[in-house]
Amino acid sequence: MTNEQTAIKTTYFSIIGNTALALIKGFAGIFGNSYALIADAIESTTDIFSSLLVLFGLKYAKRPADENHPYGHGKIEPLITFLVVAFLVLSASIIAHESIQNIQTPHKVPEPWTLIVLGCIILWKEISFRIVIKKSKETHSSSLKADAWHHRSDAITSVMAFIGISIALIFGNGYETADDWAALFAAAFILYNSYLIFRPALGEIMDEHLYDDLLEEIRLQAVKVKGVLGTEKCFIRKAGMKYHVDLHVIVNGAISVKEGHDIAHNLKDFLRSEIPTLGHVLIHVEPNE
């Protein structure tokens, strides 16, 4: 299974899970008198739409290169990540607004059984986060990473709700709004996570240098090719799940242009075979002085 197929399959997992949880949280919040759970359900609903966006982005990014897009369509991934972040900010804003409204409105203490529901939700969301974040690392997908952090944000919101409802149940009258305050704190944490997701996606769009480990690997592999005496400049930029490389290599200055050309081609083929995540590799030959 290719990285693209793995990422798409993982996104379907997220969509199904978020749909089920949004329904469970919504019903539990309404019948269990928990505004924190209702806020949690709102976030899960936005998660469904963000996962659908990720799915669209992944399917679009796997399109092959064409005349108008010689480097492929991978740049749509960070753009989709921006939209996912926008959904996170929207859900945090809705949760914060609803929490403030509910703090000002007297209401009943949540039902004790809502804690059982929340415990199961927290466990499932943390498992989902670990599954999706693992797949995002395997596939080098920035939008899948954003989707994974949606699961983690959802788990944190549920933890806050669990704490708030526990306080309301333990201390009783006067503490009915504890779960609303918990939801408000969760909204602030979601906004913080939104920035953590947004920042690397922005770097990807701006072709920021973020890949020191890959750069070191490229240099180590390059000198294994016959005729390559060393390396100079190496620029890496990411598009989708592929890394495009511009590499300057040092060769014997006394050889012919044909020999230098052959070394460059051999190096390109070798790097792409040893490092499958590489896309376009442009080799510039420098004479040894």
Side-chain angles (χ1 to χ4, degrees):
M1 188 179 292
T2 65
N3 283 346
E4 289 80 4
Q5 290 171 329
T6 300
I8 289 169
K9 185 178 179 181
T10 305
T11 306
Y12 279 120
F13 165 79
S14 292
I15 293 169
I16 294 169
N18 287 331
T19 302
L21 286 180
L23 293 171
I24 293 169
K25 290 176 183 178
F27 284 117
I30 292 168
F31 293 108
N33 300 318
S34 172
Y35 288 94
L37 259 175
I38 293 172
D40 221 357
I42 292 170
E43 190 193 0
S44 287
T45 303
T46 62
D47 286 352
I48 297 168
F49 290 104
S50 67
S51 293
L52 287 170
L53 277 173
V54 171
L55 180 62
F56 166 76
L58 291 171
K59 288 191 172 184
Y60 188 89
K62 68 180 289 191
R63 291 184 179 184
D66 56 34
E67 185 177 347
N68 293 326
H69 306 87
Y71 289 95
H73 299 77
K75 284 294 185 181
I76 195 172
E77 273 222 63
L79 295 176
I80 290 295
T81 301
F82 292 157
L83 291 176
V84 172
V85 168
F87 270 103
L88 272 173
V89 172
L90 176 63
S91 64
S93 301
I94 293 171
I95 290 170
H97 178 266
E98 291 297 317
S99 299
I100 293 170
Q101 292 289 104
N102 293 330
I103 288 168
Q104 298 170 347
T105 306
H107 56 79
K108 297 179 182 178
V109 174
E111 296 291 339
W113 57 263
T114 56
L115 290 177
I116 299 173
V117 174
L118 276 168
C120 295
I121 289 169
I122 292 166
L123 181 61
W124 173 250
K125 274 310 204 176
E126 184 60 24
I127 291 171
S128 298
F129 167 77
R130 293 181 184 275
I131 290 172
V132 179
I133 199 70
K134 180 183 177 183
K135 295 299 181 183
S136 76
K137 290 176 181 178
E138 289 175 2
T139 61
H140 305 275
S141 170
S142 57
S143 57
L144 204 58
K145 180 181 178 181
D147 202 37
W149 276 100
H150 252 301
H151 289 295
R152 172 56 67 81
S153 295
D154 213 0
I156 290 165
T157 308
S158 297
V159 168
M160 293 293 187
F162 190 96
I163 294 170
I165 292 172
S166 297
I167 292 172
L169 289 171
I170 292 169
F171 294 100
N173 293 335
Y175 289 86
E176 296 88 348
T177 60
D179 69 325
D180 303 314
W181 283 103
L184 193 58
F185 283 118
F189 195 87
I190 292 168
L191 287 175
Y192 173 69
N193 270 336
S194 298
Y195 170 76
L196 296 181
I197 297 168
F198 172 81
R199 184 63 187 83
L202 179 63
E204 190 173 326
I205 283 287
M206 297 296 292
D207 291 332
E208 187 177 349
H209 177 73
L210 300 167
Y211 316 108
D212 285 329
D213 291 343
L214 179 58
L215 186 149
E216 190 62 29
E217 185 179 1
I218 289 169
R219 292 193 188 281
L220 289 172
Q221 295 294 340
V223 294
K224 294 179 182 179
V225 175
K226 184 179 178 181
V228 176
L229 303 180
T231 58
E232 285 190 343
K233 297 175 185 176
C234 183
F235 304 123
I236 303 172
R237 50 202 169 93
K238 186 171 181 284
M241 301 177 201
K242 293 292 185 182
Y243 297 89
H244 303 312
V245 179
D246 298 333
L247 178 64
H248 290 214
V249 297
I250 302 169
V251 301
N252 187 341
I255 62 176
S256 68
V257 173
K258 173 78 166 57
E259 288 174 302
H261 175 78
D262 291 341
I263 290 171
H265 261 286
N266 292 337
L267 175 58
K268 175 181 176 180
D269 294 340
F270 180 75
L271 287 176
R272 292 185 69 178
S273 66
E274 293 297 311
I275 311 173
T277 54
L278 296 187
H280 287 267
V281 179
L282 179 64
I283 308 296
H284 176 79
V285 175
E286 297 275 4
N288 180 31
E289 299 177 353

